[in-house]
Amino acid sequence: GRLYIIPTPIGNLKDITLRALEILSMVDIVACEDTRRTRVLLQHYEIKKPLVSYHSYSRLKKVDALIGWLGEGKNIALVSDAGTPGISDPGGGLVSRAVSENIEVEVIPGPCALTAALAVSGRPSDRFVFEGFLPVKTGPRRRRLEEISGLNKTLVLYESCHRLLKLLADISEVFGPDREIVIARELTKIHQEVIHLSVRKAAEYFGAKKVKGEIVVII
């Protein structure tokens, strides 16, 4: 069988390619992060397929089963809740195993919050460093920021809405409160925001409102 890496919309359900829909209609199994999220997408496009949950808590048990099905000749689509599987995402483990077992892996290009935010930011993208989610605890997070602060490259981070203010406090400590940053929130959704502010102003802006959604921070 063949493993297909299928990016899914990061917000707007229309942001899925014709080829992705074609392959989702053709495969035997869809391995997904959250069956509820994937079911909404598939039902929207009238696609019915067996769904297998594959996320950070179950992946060690599920990899063997998925690799076994691929070995039996079944075609499997790997999707995440949003964006491209394997990019700051538990799906990378299944892809690595498939590659090591000489199983054919095919990728369908598509949505990714990293590239979408970088493209709309107006910041240099010829040289950038993607750090994904930094450590949850303040000490390790600040140390990691200090490690990458000397790089002469655009820095791209992911953060949850719950930890954004803590991250901004650490960025202020390491880079200074006047450093200009870009924060992209809820990309492609109705309440999309792409704001260009100093770290200080960003902390004031987001401190005065209830922050929701997925966030990309560009330094």
Side-chain angles (χ1 to χ4, degrees):
R2 184 176 293 185
L3 178 65
Y4 293 91
I5 302 169
I6 311 275
T8 52
I10 60 175
N12 192 318
L13 281 180
K14 292 179 182 175
D15 291 337
I16 191 161
T17 68
L18 294 172
R19 186 159 165 245
L21 291 173
E22 181 180 82
I23 289 170
L24 284 168
S25 301
M26 175 272 290
V27 294
D28 302 296
I29 298 165
V30 178
C32 52
E33 208 170 342
D34 184 333
T35 54
R36 292 164 299 181
R37 290 280 291 273
T38 301
R39 194 169 280 117
V40 168
L41 177 70
L42 296 186
Q43 283 177 347
H44 184 78
Y45 289 104
E46 299 179 347
I47 297 170
K48 290 183 179 178
K49 292 291 167 181
L51 303 180
V52 173
S53 67
Y54 174 84
H55 47 71
S56 53
Y57 304 106
S58 73
R59 65 173 184 255
L60 297 175
K61 290 183 289 185
K62 293 288 173 65
V63 168
D64 287 341
L66 291 164
I67 293 294
W69 289 326
L70 286 161
E72 290 167 10
K74 293 191 185 304
N75 292 311
I76 298 177
L78 173 66
V79 303
S80 66
D81 285 350
T84 301
I87 307 297
S88 197
D89 168 81
L94 176 60
V95 177
S96 298
R97 176 79 180 276
V99 168
S100 70
E101 306 244 354
N102 293 319
I103 290 165
E104 282 191 76
V105 180
E106 191 166 333
V107 65
I108 283 70
C112 180
L114 160 64
T115 50
L118 203 50
V120 78
S121 72
R123 299 304 160 95
S125 59
D126 50 339
R127 298 175 75 218
F128 69 89
V129 172
F130 174 57
E131 282 288 318
F133 290 95
L134 293 178
V136 173
K137 293 188 175 175
T138 301
R141 185 171 58 235
R142 196 168 288 184
R143 281 196 295 276
R144 186 65 193 137
L145 282 168
E146 286 166 355
E147 285 170 12
I148 61 178
S149 64
L151 300 171
N152 187 26
K153 299 174 184 177
T154 300
L155 307 176
V156 188
L157 314 172
Y158 283 171
E159 192 50 279
S160 76
C161 52
H162 312 293
R163 288 196 297 269
L164 177 61
L165 292 176
K166 290 179 180 177
L167 174 64
L168 290 174
D170 290 339
I171 292 173
S172 181
E173 282 290 323
V174 175
F175 294 88
D178 297 319
R179 172 65 71 97
E180 288 287 320
I181 60 173
V182 178
I183 297 180
R185 189 180 71 84
E186 295 282 77
L187 285 172
T188 78
K189 298 179 184 175
I190 295 169
H191 300 295
Q192 171 177 300
E193 267 188 325
V194 180
I195 59 170
H196 302 70
L197 289 170
S198 68
V199 182
R200 180 191 286 114
K201 290 277 197 248
E204 289 172 8
Y205 176 75
F206 286 107
K209 62 188 279 186
K210 186 170 175 62
V211 187
K212 293 182 179 178
E214 303 297 322
I215 296 163
V216 185
V217 179
I218 296 176
I219 306 171

